[in-house]
Amino acid sequence: DAGVTQSPTHLIKTRGQQVTLRCSPKSGHDTVSWYQQALGQGPQFIFQYYEEEERQRGNFPDRFSGHQFPNYSSELNVNALLLGDSALYLCASSKPRGGLKETQYFGPGTRLLVL
Amino acid sequence: AQTVTQSQPEMSVQEAETVTLSCTYDTSESNYYLFWYKQPPSRQMILVIRQEAYKQQNATENRFSVNFQKAAKSFSLKISDSQLGDTAMYFCAFMKRLQGAQKLVFGQGTRLTINP
């Protein structure tokens, strides 16, 4: 049973560029959440997707956008990259509409460096 | 606003010792879930243990147990018979409901080192 997978593992971009990160949820999960983890900090919630719609967003600008596909996989897009966007981006998946009681399981993350 | 505070940035113990990591949180909700996640140098965030707030009994998973004090809003993690593989960042997290969605609110983390 495959866990949550993310690609790529590492990425280097320059300021102003755009980036797309990908996530495949754990088998049986349909809800995907994205988090940003700056160096030395705890993860911060970006947004959550299920039924192919963004359900909630954290305190992140519109440069951060996402998409969920019919197979439940998801993409995170960041436009007009800033140096401060350098971070580990974590994807987490959970079971269908389980609510508070459903544990979120994390992927290995994508390390983004913006130069 | 919900916040999670981990007051110990770093801890270090000898192998086989017992160590306790502290976590306090602030919420006005009555039903919620709390989690401890472990993040080794490989970066993968791994679930260690979870606690449901309406359950008075403290959760236990093998060598890992929690001391959940709801009135004090305290949720500490005890690791017994610590092993070298327990070396990692440990994050305490609170699951918050957001109008049909759920998000985890994390503390700043505690870096735990197990020495041989």
Side-chain angles (χ1 to χ4, degrees):
Chain A
D1 179 21
V4 181
T5 60
Q6 292 186 244
S7 63
T9 56
H10 294 84
L11 208 51
I12 300 175
K13 292 286 187 178
T14 57
R15 280 178 298 175
Q17 285 190 312
Q18 178 264 343
V19 68
T20 297
L21 311 182
R22 296 176 176 83
C23 171
S24 290
K26 187 177 167 67
S27 178
H29 290 185
D30 73 345
T31 299
V32 173
S33 304
W34 287 92
Y35 293 82
Q36 180 196 66
Q37 186 179 18
L39 197 62
Q41 305 290 319
Q44 299 289 319
F45 176 78
I46 302 175
F47 40 51
Q48 185 176 80
Y49 277 84
Y50 62 83
E51 295 180 344
E52 302 179 46
E53 289 190 21
E54 181 183 301
R55 298 298 175 168
Q56 272 297 334
R57 168 180 285 266
N59 190 24
F60 282 82
D62 291 344
R63 298 187 298 109
F64 289 76
S65 63
H67 188 78
Q68 186 177 37
F69 299 93
N71 67 353
Y72 310 125
S73 66
S74 177
E75 289 182 348
L76 165 65
N77 301 291
V78 187
N79 295 321
L81 284 167
L82 304 174
L83 296 180
D85 295 331
S86 295
L88 179 67
Y89 288 85
L90 295 166
C91 169
S93 74
S94 51
K95 287 183 179 178
R97 302 295 297 276
L100 279 179
K101 66 180 176 66
E102 291 305 330
T103 297
Q104 293 186 6
Y105 293 89
F106 285 82
T110 294
R111 173 74 68 190
L112 172 64
L113 177 61
V114 182
L115 301 176
Chain B
Q2 278 80 5
T3 59
V4 178
T5 303
Q6 294 180 248
S7 59
Q8 304 149 313
E10 293 189 33
M11 296 189 72
S12 178
V13 298
Q14 296 299 119
E15 192 176 8
E17 289 185 346
T18 294
V19 59
T20 298
L21 310 183
S22 301
C23 173
T24 58
Y25 60 94
D26 185 27
T27 182
S28 57
E29 298 178 19
S30 58
N31 188 26
Y32 48 88
Y33 288 75
L34 295 161
F35 301 83
W36 279 98
Y37 283 90
K38 163 186 175 181
Q39 189 177 41
S42 66
R43 306 177 330 205
Q44 179 110 31
M45 193 76 75
I46 301 165
L47 175 69
V48 174
I49 200 166
R50 78 174 205 169
Q51 174 77 42
E52 301 167 53
Y54 66 88
K55 286 190 175 179
Q56 301 226 348
Q57 186 175 5
N58 290 325
T60 300
E61 288 288 344
N62 301 313
R63 298 182 295 109
F64 299 87
S65 61
V66 299
N67 183 6
F68 174 50
Q69 301 289 329
K70 191 171 183 178
K73 297 181 180 176
S74 170
F75 182 59
S76 61
L77 174 69
K78 185 172 84 170
I79 306 174
S80 303
D81 186 27
S82 58
Q83 301 174 359
L84 297 179
D86 295 332
T87 292
M89 283 290 290
Y90 285 80
F91 290 95
C92 176
F94 170 95
M95 181 72 85
K96 173 180 167 59
R97 186 190 303 278
L98 276 178
Q99 295 177 329
Q102 304 80 37
K103 77 170 188 180
L104 286 166
V105 178
F106 286 87
Q108 294 290 80
T110 295
R111 184 177 302 281
L112 176 64
T113 302
I114 309 298
N115 299 306

